[in-house]
RNA sequence: GGGUUGUUAGCUCAGUUGGCUAGAGCAUCUCGUUUACACCGAGAGGGUCGGGGGUUCGAGUCCCUCACAACCCACCA
């Protein structure tokens, strides 16, 4: 492995020039592999060696992005967040794995392929399942690795060796295992019931795949003539029953009319028969509680084959079901000659016309109702009676709910737990079969002589098989993609399922078993129900464990104006375009800043710009440090040939960074910066443990820019101390690396004294500071700020001032630093004659009163007067603050009830403010 | 019809358990070529925290209520 020094410090950081090279470096090194490079060289040694404890693991899996698609901004966000965590925990020496995935995207890809078929005037029905599968496979082959390249562009530190494709054999095998176990446990059944069909795609959907939209529609009142019965005896009761419907075409499949048993209006009708309009059939009038008396006419047509509720009614009353609409959305032969072959919408018009002709239409009104649509093509969903595979979901959902109630999984934000609980509590049986060929074939075969005889068999490539002398025909359906991806965490870690063998027995050196359950699942709120819920249910079922210990939901990234991004609106922002313009680090920072868990928020370009600026700032800081430290820096501990050694991996584990033990902190600024960096690191650890990403970015930004660059580097310019500068830079790079990996690594590779990879660095020991010295720098900062304030507030004041100090050791010891920071002409002690003037009560300049220092700026009286008005403003402010504090402390209830420290603090601040006021007044000569 | 979340500076958003002067980035204004950085430095302006009420010594934060917005769920024909 060769890390040739290819990087040079250009004036401006150009991410486009280096990102790909840096990623290649990482990937080749093996740092992203499960456990990192620890097992490859001696850093952590052999785990079996006595005394060595296995490192604590940290793991996460990627929601597999569509293998053939392009990453969208949500992917970039989600992967960026996980990458922050992965890199962060590597820095802490954890045994980390971030497992990538690639999704065959069953339905999505199928839709695209079907469209391509249309172009060559073919349909799916022209081919066998195998042919179609192979064709789709070839169709997507050339774009198969599209998104993998894009993940690299984002700098994601995932273990490519662990990459799992959703059609990999191990996925299929485990999915079959699960299916078989569910079957054996009686949780799989072949359901003859209403399923939601998309007539365009000719497949059924799960409830969750249907989008409901409010739409205007028409409700028709239709008269069904009553046949027979003795109701004719009374003339005032009409010989018809009027029902209301929005879907008159389904009337052809009616097998009853229902009324509420408690409905006085229809009491006498129950048990009678009506003639179903447009047909010759007689259907009964039945009573069922399901009917809402207050809605419409209080009488409902019952079409068991085309409405889920009606199906239920039909079951209760043993009604026939007649399918009048087929899977293609067209009327079937059952609908009668006049309608067969028409699409449902046409049939509706014709039915209305025919009813009108027969004078059976009694009313018509416009209403707004909700209609289910295909989430992909927008077609109106047809509820059709069909045979599908279902999972009895109650036992799974109840177990999952219990795990949630027992807090086995922590949720960020917390309220998502309740949302999920509500979902588990209302979840109904899950249709897991799909009528598309691109997916995992369902391993089930049906006895050709006995429709009800289904067997499990994984020989899905055989169209028919023979078992015990009986011939079986395979099911042509495939699994719902969520059924397989719901098993993702234990599939990708090869975790032994159904307790067939112990996890310990399975664990080999290459095994990822120890990474299950995952430390965290991080994904968008949109995946709560379709994915996270399924993973919890199936994870518990297959492994007896929750699949992850914590779940973090990020909110959806909207466009710059807070609108949902969608292709149809044309407001989609591509992460790749952002990266091309600003770099991957800037993208990652920008998208992470200003966000909180679970909250949908607008994409903010200005945040990306802020991120870009930070990269540049850090870059230039590094250039400066390298320049001051010199090319030879580090030779004394790396050996004289250090410069040449850069060309090889430093596998001897020698010092690759500034040895902390050799650090000699020489001035207050150095003590201060060391303390600030130590605190930032501790704070960062806490923030990330709570998944407070935005605040973490802010912390890093603020530390690097407003602490290290603005104060430490500026202070250091007056007294260069190479080891400390180098150390501070290294700490900054480590602090920032999880958030902006490319620029920090590029810098690491460009510095003369660092070696190996920043991505494989650990937080080592940190330097020790002296608190008193640190506090001194705080005082120096206050003084400098006051000087800057004074100078900025004197109109037309351009000269460089001198600072004169009296009996003030702090200024005396740090005169040069203060001069540099405040851009003063000179900092010098009081001269005798000035002391005399002071003794005589004369002015020697502007007394700096706000910072508790004995010091003056040599400004003449006229200038001081000009400054006076500003000073008076400050006096007023201070008086206001004092008044506020006094009022608070005079409030007996406050003093009695507020915590003692708070009261003490208030008192202390009051003292300080009074002191400041006195000085200000003195400055003004009042 | 139910449920959830939100409404804080011009814009995009932070603000964990109520604690005193509400923060950041970007934008704006003034000044500044100074040993890295104009993708820069120094300084400044800008908020009655959606309206109203309540609890509390103290409310952006808790409670009630109203308004508006977004999202999710739902079998009303």
């Amino acid at each position: 492995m060769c890390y040739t020094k290819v990087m040079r410090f250009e004036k401006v950081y150009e991410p486009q020039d280096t990102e790909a090279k840096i990623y290649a470096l990482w990937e080749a090194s093996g740092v992203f592999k499960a456990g990192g490079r620890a097992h490859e060289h001696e850093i952590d040694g052999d785990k079996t060696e006595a005394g060595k404890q296995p490192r604590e693991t940290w793991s996460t899996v990627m929601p597999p992005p569509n293998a053939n698609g392009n990453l969208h901004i949500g992917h970039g966000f989600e992967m960026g967040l996980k990458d922050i965590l992965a890199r962060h925990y590597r820095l802490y020496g954890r045994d980390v794995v971030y497992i990538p995935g690639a999704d065959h995207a069953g339905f999505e890809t199928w839709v695209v392929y079907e469209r391509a078929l249309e172009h060559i005037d073919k349909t799916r029905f022209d081919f066998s399942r195998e042919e179609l599968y192979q064709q789709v496979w070839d169709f997507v082959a050339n774009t198969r690795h599209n998104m993998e390249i894009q993940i690299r562009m984002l700098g994601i530190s995932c273990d490519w060796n662990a990459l799992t494709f959703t059609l990999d054999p191990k996925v299929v095998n485990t999915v079959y295992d699960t299916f078989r176990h569910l079957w054996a446990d009686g949780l799989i059944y072949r359901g003859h019931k209403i399923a939601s069909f998309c007539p365009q795609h000719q497949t059924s959907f799960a409830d969750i795949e249907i989008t409901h939209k409010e739409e205007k529609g028409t409700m028709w009142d239709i008269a069904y003539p009553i046949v027979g019965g003795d109701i004719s005896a009374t003339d005032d009761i009409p010989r018809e029953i009027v029902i209301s419907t929005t879907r008159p075409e389904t009337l052809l499949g009616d097998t009853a009319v229902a009324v509420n048993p408690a409905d006085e209006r229809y009491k006498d009708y129950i048990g009678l028969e009506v003639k179903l309009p447009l047909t010759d059939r007689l259907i009964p009038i039945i009573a069922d509680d399901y009917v809402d008396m207050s809605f419409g006419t209080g009488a409902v047509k019952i079409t068991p084959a085309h409405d889920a509720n009606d199906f239920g009614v039909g079951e209760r009353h043993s009604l026939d079901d007649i399918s009048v609409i087929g899977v293609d959305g067209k009327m079937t032969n059952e609908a009668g000659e006049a309608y067969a072959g028409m699409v449902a919408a046409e049939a509706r018009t014709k039915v209305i016309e025919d009813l009108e002709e027969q004078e059976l239409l009694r009313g018509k009104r416009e209403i707004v109702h909700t209609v289910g649509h295909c989430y992909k093509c927008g077609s109106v969903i047809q509820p059709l009676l069909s045979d599908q595979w279902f999972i009895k979901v109650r036992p799974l959902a109840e177990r999952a709910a219990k795990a949630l109630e027992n807090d086995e999984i922590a949720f960020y934000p917390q309220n998502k737990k309740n949302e999920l609980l509500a979902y588990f509590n209302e979840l109904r049986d899950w249709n897991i079969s799909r009528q598309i060929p691109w997916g995992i074939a369902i391993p089930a075969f049906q006895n050709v002589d006995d429709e009800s005889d289904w067997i499990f068999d994984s020989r899905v490539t055989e169209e028919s098989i023979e078992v015990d002398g009986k011939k079986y025909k395979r099911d042509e359906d495939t699994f719902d993609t969520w059924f397989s991806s719901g098993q993702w965490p234990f599939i990708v870690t090869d975790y032994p399922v159904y307790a067939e063998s112990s996890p310990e027995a399975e664990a080999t050196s290459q095994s990822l078993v120890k990474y299950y359950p995952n430390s965290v699942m991080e994904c968008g709120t949109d995946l709560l129900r379709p994915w996270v819920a399924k993973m919890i249910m199936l994870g518990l079922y297959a492994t007896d464990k929750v699949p992850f210990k914590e779940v973090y939901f990020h909110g959806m990234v909207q466009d710059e104006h807070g609108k949902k991004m969608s292709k149809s609106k044309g407001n989609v922002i591509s992460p790749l375009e952002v990266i091309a313009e600003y770099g991957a680090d800037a993208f990652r920072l920008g998208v992470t800043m200003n966000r909180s868990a679970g909250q949908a928020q607008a994409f903010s370009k200005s945040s990306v710009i802020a991120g870009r600026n930070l990269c540049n700032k850090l870059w230039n800081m590094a250039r400066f440090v390298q320049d001051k430290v010199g090319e030879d820096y580090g030779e004394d501990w790396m050996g004289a040939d250090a410069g040449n050694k850069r060309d090889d991996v430093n596998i001897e584990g020698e010092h690759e960074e500034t040895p902390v033990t050799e650090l000699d902190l020489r001035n207050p600024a150095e003590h201060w910066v060391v303390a600030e960096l130590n605190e930032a690191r501790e704070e960062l650890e806490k923030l990330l443990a709570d998944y407070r990403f935005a605040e973490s970015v802010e912390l890093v930004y603020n530390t690097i820019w407003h602490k290290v660059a603005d104060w430490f580097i500026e202070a250091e310019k007056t007294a260069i101390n190479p080891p400390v500068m180098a150390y501070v830079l290294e700490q900054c790079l480590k602090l920032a690396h999880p958030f902006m990996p490319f620029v920090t690594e590029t810098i690491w590779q460009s510095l003369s004294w660092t070696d190996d990879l920043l991505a494989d660095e650990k937080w080592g020991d940190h330097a020790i500071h002296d608190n008193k010295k640190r506090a001194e720098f705080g005082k120096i900062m206050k003084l400098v700020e006051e000087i800057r304030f004074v100078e900025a507030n004197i109109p037309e004041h351009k000269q460089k001032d001198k600072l004169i100090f009296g009996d003030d050791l702090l200024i005396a010891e740090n005169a040069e630093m203060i001069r540099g920071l405040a851009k003063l002409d000179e900092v010098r002690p009081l001269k005798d004659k000035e002391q005399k003037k002071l003794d005589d009560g004369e002015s020697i300049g502007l007394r700096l009163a706000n910072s508790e220092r004995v010091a003056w700026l040599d400004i003449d009286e006229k200038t001081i007067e000009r400054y006076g008005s500003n000073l008076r403003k400050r006096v007023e402010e201070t008086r206001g603050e004092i008044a506020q504090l006094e009022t608070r402390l005079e409030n007996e209830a406050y003093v009695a009830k507020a915590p003692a420290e708070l009261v003490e603090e208030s008192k202390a601040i009051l003292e300080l403010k009074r002191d400041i006021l006195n000085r200000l007044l003195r400055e003004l000569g009042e």
Side-chain angles (χ1 to χ4, degrees):
Chain A
M1 183 88 38
C2 185
Y3 296 116
T4 315
K5 191 180 178 186
V6 288
M7 308 301 172
R8 282 181 46 223
F9 276 129
E10 302 298 335
K11 192 171 178 189
V12 171
Y13 172 59
E14 299 289 356
Q16 295 79 5
D17 297 344
T18 56
E19 286 179 354
K21 276 184 248 174
I22 292 290
Y23 197 93
L25 213 56
W26 287 330
E27 200 174 344
S29 75
V31 269
F32 298 164
K33 283 188 193 159
R37 292 188 290 181
H39 56 283
E40 290 173 11
H41 55 89
E42 79 303 322
I43 289 176
D44 280 63
D46 184 354
K47 279 194 289 257
T48 60
E49 197 182 304
K52 289 265 182 186
Q53 289 291 320
R55 290 180 295 155
E56 194 184 344
T57 59
W58 187 90
S59 61
T60 194
V61 302
M62 187 182 286
N66 183 345
N68 309 290
N70 290 311
L71 298 186
H72 56 66
I73 222 152
H75 289 124
F77 184 29
E78 163 240 311
M79 293 177 193
L81 294 184
K82 282 200 199 77
D83 194 52
I84 288 170
L85 296 171
R87 290 179 186 270
H88 171 74
Y89 287 115
R90 275 192 205 102
L91 262 166
Y92 277 89
R94 297 268 285 263
D95 177 348
V96 170
V97 69
Y98 177 1
I99 303 174
D103 188 13
H104 70 283
F107 187 55
E108 318 283 321
T109 307
W110 177 248
V111 169
V112 175
Y113 184 67
E114 219 172 27
R115 220 174 285 145
L117 273 183
E118 265 172 46
H119 284 293
I120 54 166
D121 272 338
K122 298 274 185 190
T123 76
R124 60 198 285 187
F125 303 108
D126 297 327
F127 305 97
S128 73
R129 185 170 80 184
E130 278 71 26
E131 285 168 337
L132 286 167
Y133 188 94
Q134 191 56 46
Q135 283 170 27
V136 182
W137 188 279
D138 296 342
F139 176 71
V140 301
N142 49 347
T143 47
R144 255 299 296 272
H145 302 289
N146 206 9
M147 68 88 194
E148 292 173 32
I149 293 163
Q150 296 175 5
I151 291 172
R152 288 177 170 88
M153 288 171 74
L154 282 159
I156 304 307
S157 65
C158 52
D159 180 357
W160 291 104
N161 285 50
L163 174 73
T164 311
F165 180 53
T166 49
L167 295 177
D168 279 349
K170 78 171 177 185
V171 180
V172 175
N173 291 337
T174 310
V175 166
Y176 285 0
D177 249 11
T178 299
F179 186 67
R180 184 163 53 86
H181 274 87
L182 285 165
W183 188 323
D185 286 346
L187 296 175
I188 293 282
Y189 67 94
R190 187 78 180 150
H192 181 70
K193 52 187 200 175
I194 296 287
S196 301
F197 258 81
C198 170
Q200 173 73 32
H201 295 116
Q202 304 200 16
T203 179
S204 65
F205 282 129
D207 296 340
I208 203 156
E209 288 166 301
I210 297 154
T211 34
H212 293 271
K213 285 185 208 159
E214 281 224 325
E215 275 176 12
K216 279 186 191 160
T218 310
M219 174 107 85
W220 286 276
D221 295 336
I222 302 165
Y224 287 21
I226 290 163
V227 178
D230 53 6
I231 203 156
S232 53
T234 38
D235 291 340
D236 54 337
I237 299 178
R239 287 193 53 85
E240 63 180 34
I241 191 160
V242 179
I243 56 90
S244 301
T245 183
T246 52
R247 303 176 62 210
E249 72 279 11
T250 62
L251 157 168
L252 301 163
D254 285 2
T255 52
V257 168
V259 296
N260 192 296
D263 196 333
E264 288 296 323
R265 293 173 294 177
Y266 297 114
K267 230 173 88 185
D268 297 336
Y269 288 73
I270 298 167
L272 299 181
E273 284 188 320
V274 294
K275 181 189 164 289
L276 185 62
L278 314 180
T279 71
D280 298 327
R281 286 192 288 121
L282 295 180
I283 57 174
I285 296 173
I286 57 170
D288 197 286
D289 287 332
Y290 149 71
V291 182
D292 179 353
M293 289 187 275
S294 62
F295 191 90
T297 59
V300 191
K301 64 193 272 306
I302 300 297
T303 326
H306 296 292
D307 183 283
N309 291 310
D310 292 7
F311 183 76
V313 175
E315 281 199 317
R316 285 195 287 278
H317 297 269
S318 309
L319 300 173
D320 287 341
D321 41 66
I322 301 171
S323 292
V324 292
I325 303 172
V327 290
D328 53 0
K330 291 179 182 163
M331 304 307 284
T332 63
N333 290 336
E334 298 267 21
E337 264 179 55
Y339 307 100
M342 292 177 124
V343 299
E346 284 169 17
R348 178 177 300 178
T349 314
K350 176 140 173 58
V351 164
I352 292 299
E353 278 169 17
D354 294 348
L355 287 170
E356 206 152 26
E357 207 166 283
Q358 297 188 19
E359 294 180 2
L360 291 170
L361 222 47
R362 291 291 176 270
K364 174 184 170 181
R365 51 192 184 278
E366 300 303 309
I367 56 151
V368 174
H369 61 152
T370 52
V371 181
H373 292 263
C374 170
Y375 78 104
K376 198 73 205 171
C377 69
S379 302
V380 174
I381 290 294
Q382 288 289 356
L384 300 178
L385 199 53
S386 66
D387 293 314
Q388 307 282 343
W389 292 103
F390 286 89
I391 293 183
K392 270 186 201 160
V393 93
R394 287 320 314 161
L396 302 181
E398 278 161 21
R399 190 163 172 199
K402 211 174 144 199
L404 257 54
E405 278 158 8
N406 292 341
D407 286 323
E408 288 175 45
I409 302 175
F411 284 81
Y412 300 83
Q414 259 188 326
N415 65 313
K416 293 292 169 198
K417 181 177 118 177
N418 294 332
E419 208 175 317
L420 199 52
L421 262 177
Y423 179 68
F424 282 138
N425 290 332
E426 73 193 13
L427 192 58
R428 295 176 307 162
D429 286 357
W430 174 14
N431 171 8
I432 53 166
S433 42
R434 294 292 178 277
Q435 289 70 49
I436 53 173
W438 183 234
I440 300 176
I442 294 180
F445 287 73
Q446 185 181 33
N447 189 334
V448 292
D449 299 317
D450 178 3
E451 283 194 358
S452 64
D453 178 21
W454 283 90
I455 54 164
F456 174 91
D457 201 296
S458 57
R459 283 176 283 173
V460 294
T461 51
E462 312 282 328
E463 282 196 44
S464 62
I465 56 171
E466 229 181 90
V467 177
D468 296 339
K470 288 178 275 185
K471 204 178 166 201
Y472 289 87
K473 187 168 95 334
R474 80 170 175 205
D475 183 28
E476 292 294 317
D477 290 354
T478 53
F479 282 115
D480 175 10
T481 190
W482 298 113
F483 180 65
S484 48
S485 46
Q487 305 176 47
W488 205 241
F490 59 82
I491 292 175
V492 296
T493 51
D494 300 310
Y495 192 82
V497 288
Y498 311 110
E500 279 165 356
S501 60
S502 72
E504 291 74 23
E506 292 277 329
T508 63
S509 59
Q510 294 302 308
S511 158
L512 300 178
V513 167
K514 64 179 168 185
Y515 299 107
Y516 184 86
N518 299 142
S519 307
V520 66
M521 166 49 54
E522 189 278 317
C523 65
T525 47
D526 57 333
L527 292 180
L528 178 82
R529 288 179 174 81
W531 198 40
V532 174
K534 310 295 167 26
M535 284 192 286
I536 296 172
M537 289 194 297
L538 291 172
L540 281 164
Y541 177 74
T543 69
D544 271 328
K545 290 181 180 173
V546 291
F548 26 74
K549 295 165 206 154
E550 308 197 320
V551 189
Y552 177 89
F553 288 104
H554 67 257
M556 298 293 97
V557 183
Q558 300 162 326
D559 78 358
E560 289 193 71
H561 307 287
K563 294 278 179 294
K564 204 171 168 177
M565 285 192 205
S566 74
K567 276 182 194 155
S568 57
K569 276 190 224 153
N571 61 349
V572 176
I573 300 166
S574 159
L576 304 180
E577 284 168 28
V578 179
I579 289 174
E581 189 172 357
Y582 299 102
D585 292 335
F587 168 78
R588 291 169 53 135
L589 288 164
V591 88
T592 310
M593 260 185 244
N594 293 340
R595 273 166 200 289
S596 53
Q599 215 50 56
Q601 273 143 12
F603 173 80
S604 157
K605 194 170 166 180
S606 65
S607 296
V608 175
I609 290 173
R612 190 268 321 260
N613 294 352
L614 179 64
C615 292
N616 188 245
K617 188 74 187 178
L618 187 59
W619 178 257
N620 281 293
M621 216 168 87
R623 276 176 64 209
F624 182 74
V625 171
Q626 176 70 73
D627 185 48
K628 291 300 164 197
V629 145
E631 285 289 318
D632 299 337
Y633 178 73
E635 273 186 11
D636 46 339
W637 73 80
M638 289 174 74
D641 60 341
N644 302 328
K645 257 174 105 181
R646 298 187 47 76
D647 294 347
D648 299 301
V649 181
N650 181 5
I651 59 162
E652 272 72 49
E654 289 177 33
H655 291 297
E656 313 156 343
E657 51 191 313
T658 306
V660 168
T661 47
E662 291 178 22
L663 272 191
D664 170 26
L665 304 182
R666 294 184 195 156
N667 62 44
E670 294 176 354
H671 286 274
W672 174 85
V673 79
V674 163
E676 290 289 340
L677 285 166
N678 289 344
E679 276 170 17
R681 169 183 155 176
E682 281 165 24
E683 181 64 18
L684 183 62
E685 198 182 355
K686 279 185 213 145
L687 287 172
L688 284 181
D690 280 340
Y691 303 102
R692 305 190 75 85
F693 295 102
E695 281 157 83
S696 304
V697 170
E698 211 173 296
L699 173 72
V700 170
Y701 187 103
N702 190 44
T703 303
I704 289 177
W705 201 311
H706 298 307
K707 289 190 170 152
V708 176
D710 287 352
W711 287 102
F712 169 71
I713 296 283
E714 291 305 316
E716 204 68 4
K717 281 178 181 173
T718 56
I720 301 291
N721 186 357
V724 175
M725 290 186 84
Y727 167 82
V728 167
L729 178 63
E730 288 158 16
Q731 295 283 306
C732 288
L733 292 173
K734 288 181 186 177
L735 204 61
H737 184 254
F739 304 89
M740 34 205 285
F742 283 116
V743 66
T744 48
E745 185 71 75
T746 307
I747 291 169
W748 193 266
Q749 295 306 317
S750 307
L751 294 172
S752 67
W753 73 92
T754 52
D755 209 340
D756 204 6
L757 294 168
L758 176 58
D760 203 22
E761 282 296 313
K762 305 283 172 273
W763 281 112
D765 295 332
H766 59 76
I768 306 295
H769 70 278
D770 178 323
N771 262 327
K772 202 171 145 244
K773 289 279 179 196
R774 177 208 184 162
E776 280 178 18
F777 192 66
K779 290 175 187 170
I780 291 169
M781 290 165 79
K782 271 195 97 172
L783 173 66
V784 170
E785 278 172 342
E786 185 177 13
I787 296 167
R788 286 174 181 169
F789 177 86
V790 168
E791 294 189 331
N793 281 283
I794 302 171
E796 310 280 315
H797 186 70
K798 293 225 160 57
Q799 72 180 75
K800 278 191 165 186
D801 298 312
K802 292 181 170 57
L803 183 73
I804 302 162
F805 60 93
D807 183 14
D808 197 312
L809 196 61
L810 183 69
I811 300 180
E813 283 178 349
N814 299 288
E816 182 54 14
M817 182 190 287
I818 291 164
R819 191 199 58 74
L821 287 171
K823 308 289 176 209
L824 294 161
D825 182 45
E826 189 187 0
V827 176
R828 62 163 172 80
L830 213 53
K831 289 174 184 160
D832 287 346
K833 61 176 182 185
E834 286 165 340
Q835 182 63 56
K836 206 166 239 169
K837 271 184 145 178
L838 283 174
D839 293 342
D840 295 343
E842 287 177 47
S843 167
I844 62 160
L846 180 72
R847 173 72 203 264
L848 295 172
N850 228 357
S851 54
E852 304 171 67
R853 305 258 62 89
V854 189
W856 296 260
L857 282 176
D858 70 331
I859 296 174
D860 60 68
E861 282 190 46
K862 270 191 185 163
T863 314
I864 294 173
E865 260 170 49
R866 269 189 281 163
Y867 172 64
S869 59
N870 280 308
L871 212 57
R872 259 179 273 276
K873 208 165 88 190
R874 215 151 161 182
V875 168
E876 287 320 304
E877 278 170 18
T878 311
R879 281 191 168 133
E881 285 164 5
I882 289 172
Q884 208 175 352
L885 284 162
E886 282 173 346
T887 313
R888 190 178 306 146
L889 285 166
E890 279 160 17
N891 182 344
E892 281 170 33
Y894 172 73
V895 179
K897 291 186 184 174
E901 317 96 75
L902 214 63
V903 177
E904 284 311 308
E905 200 186 313
S906 298
K907 283 181 184 164
I909 296 171
L910 180 60
E911 281 310 302
L912 196 75
K913 293 289 172 190
R914 279 179 175 152
D915 201 32
I916 286 170
L917 180 66
N918 286 336
R919 287 171 202 230
L920 285 168
L921 292 173
R922 234 184 298 149
E923 235 175 70
L924 278 165
E926 287 168 15

